[in-house]
Amino acid sequence: MDKLILRNGDAMPALGLGTWKSDPGEVYNVVREAIKIGYRHIDCAAFYGNETEIGQAFIDAFSSGDVKREDLWVTSKLWNNAHLKKDVRPALEKTLRDLRLDYLDLYLIHWPVALKPEVQFPSSTNDFLSLNDAPIAATWAGMEGCVKDGLSKHIGVSNFSIKKIKQLLDGCEIRPAVNQIELHPFHQQPTMLEFCNKEYIVVTAYSPLGSTDRPPQFKNPNEPSLFENTTIVKIASANGLSSAQVLIRWAIQRGTSVIPKSVNPARLKQNFDAAGISLSNEDMKKIAALEAKGRLITGKFWDAPELGYSLATLWDE
Ligand code: A2P
């Protein structure tokens, strides 16, 4: 299994299981099955609304001897409504209670966007907190406190631009270990990858298969299909692989971590097996040359210009 080495020498399994969009009713079996197949990295988040069921799967996997806690890498994420410094630790404690763990391997700030504590998802500008009221540096100080208190081994960010990471690096005591971002052949972000490599920040690729099962509010009309892209299909058939396997292996071979989601046992196994294959340099180059089509997860739902949130300020592009 490929591993990515963090700045302090700890190793993170490159392939993880994504759990966004895995319903509470199905995610227990998915996590048990994934661990039996050999997955050793599970990517969670409070916002996904399924950490209680995942926690039950962890407890049962540990007690039945499928895996030891120390051999499993567990990531979770701070939701946007807990960005005030005083709210960070309680949010992580709740995640740990739900996941039935004593510590996380990695805790990420899910988005550089703050919501009022009582708001789960915004329906108007009134639901946001401005970055003056909830500065990222203060949220980060709360995250650092969680490492110092042993609640998470590592901390990092998600959906952060290079500019925002630089601002964080300037004032932090503990550096972000990871930036988790949307990455796939239609949105390759080479400049971000180069920057993170230089700073020893591991990059995790989310939505590596295009997240076609997203709820409607996260979807755009006429989205391009990664699975049906001619280059991907040709490489897959020439190598006896599925399109999903090509996408997963491409991500790992680029030096990123990758967290494909599946709730189907056969596809879980197929995706896991992709970690063990190899693509030729020529195939990697063909994928690198694919036309950029932009983000699938645009962040358009974080729109509150009066409080300083727009797509321009979100991605700093
Ligand atoms: P399912 O959960 O039914 O397997 P992403 O990881 O980019 O969020 O994409 C997840 C989507 O891709 C889900 O709809 C998932 O469906 C589907 N998927 C996952 N693995 C495969 C695979 N090997 N082949 C086809 N579709 C897959």
Side-chain angles (χ1 to χ4, degrees), residues 20-21 206-213 227 242 244-245 259-264 267 270-271:
W20 179 37
K21 310 175 262 77
Y206 77 62
S207 296
L209 309 179
S211 288
T212 45
D213 54 343
F227 287 146
S242 70
Q245 287 181 309
I259 47 168
K261 169 264 176 188
S262 181
V263 292
N264 173 291
R267 290 194 285 272
Q270 186 192 109
N271 296 351

Side-chain angles (χ1 to χ4, degrees), residues 268-282:
L268 280 175
K269 172 82 172 85
Q270 186 192 109
N271 296 351
F272 184 77
D273 289 345
I277 61 173
S278 176
L279 293 175
S280 67
N281 286 343
E282 202 183 310

Side-chain angles (χ1 to χ4, degrees), residues 64-90:
S64 58
D66 292 347
V67 70
K68 293 195 193 103
R69 170 65 189 98
E70 59 271 29
D71 294 332
L72 195 63
W73 179 282
V74 182
T75 298
S76 185
K77 312 186 192 82
L78 177 78
W79 188 235
N80 303 5
N81 64 357
H83 272 214
L84 294 176
K85 189 179 169 199
K86 68 175 178 52
D87 293 338
V88 174
R89 184 181 170 127

